[in-house]
Amino acid sequence: MPQDENLAAVVSSAAQDIGSFIRTQREAAQVSVRQLAEKAGVSNPYLSQIERGLRKPSADVLQQIAKALRVSAEVLYVRAGILEPSDPSEVRDAIVTDTAITERQKQVLLDIYTSFCQQNEAVSEEPTTEPTADQPSTLEIQQFNETQ
């Protein structure tokens, strides 16, 4: 049972954290709870409960709130404990904070950037095999196969 109590404490803490973060973002944007609820397509009481840490919103609701606040959904997902925080990156930060592009465009750019990074990591992790005197090179093998 202590494990269940620990889990409940973690969930409650995450709800408090995301709620206070949303409230801070809403206040910084100078938007009322009612206005944000309307923009996000959620009820005013539900948003109020989220901000007070009484409810933990789903990923879909977080995405709607992020769009209404013009912040990255990824930031809200991390705050809510849905996503693991990524390594710090100036490129990611620049994309996430850019107000000239939509959330969908930000996500596409982040996906492409992540793909390039993963591709580069995979290439750098490949073992480099230099041909030795007793090991033919790929070119030598191709030339041998062509003569056969």
Side-chain angles (χ1 to χ4, degrees):
M1 288 298 178
Q3 196 172 18
D4 292 340
E5 291 171 6
N6 289 344
L7 181 60
V10 168
V11 170
S12 176
S13 175
Q16 286 282 336
D17 185 42
I18 188 63
S20 62
F21 182 76
I22 289 171
R23 177 184 293 122
T24 302
Q25 293 299 308
R26 178 182 58 75
E27 290 171 348
Q30 299 179 344
V31 176
S32 71
V33 174
R34 182 163 287 152
Q35 290 169 324
L36 180 58
E38 188 177 312
K39 285 181 181 180
V42 298
S43 73
N44 186 27
Y46 181 60
L47 181 58
S48 177
Q49 289 173 346
I50 291 170
E51 284 191 357
R52 290 181 287 143
L54 302 175
R55 300 258 183 181
K56 187 171 183 204
S58 68
D60 289 338
V61 170
L62 285 174
Q63 185 173 18
Q64 291 169 242
I65 292 171
K67 187 175 180 181
L69 286 171
R70 296 187 54 89
V71 298
S72 167
E74 182 181 9
V75 170
L76 293 185
Y77 293 158
V78 169
R79 288 286 187 150
I82 295 171
L83 281 180
E84 292 294 318
S86 56
D87 293 331
S89 164
E90 290 180 19
V91 174
R92 282 182 166 279
D93 294 345
I95 292 170
V96 167
T97 58
D98 193 331
T99 58
I101 58 177
T102 67
E103 288 302 314
R104 176 73 183 126
Q105 291 166 332
K106 289 177 186 181
Q107 191 57 55
V108 169
L109 282 173
L110 288 171
D111 290 345
I112 293 169
Y113 177 71
T114 301
S115 172
F116 284 153
C117 290
Q118 289 171 344
Q119 195 174 36
N120 290 344
E121 283 178 21
V123 167
S124 68
E125 290 175 1
E126 287 180 4
T128 55
T129 56
E130 294 292 324
T132 60
D134 57 337
Q135 180 184 4
S137 70
T138 306
L139 180 60
E140 291 171 326
I141 293 171
Q142 286 175 339
Q143 289 172 344
F144 175 77
N145 289 337
E146 290 171 1
T147 60
Q148 297 299 317

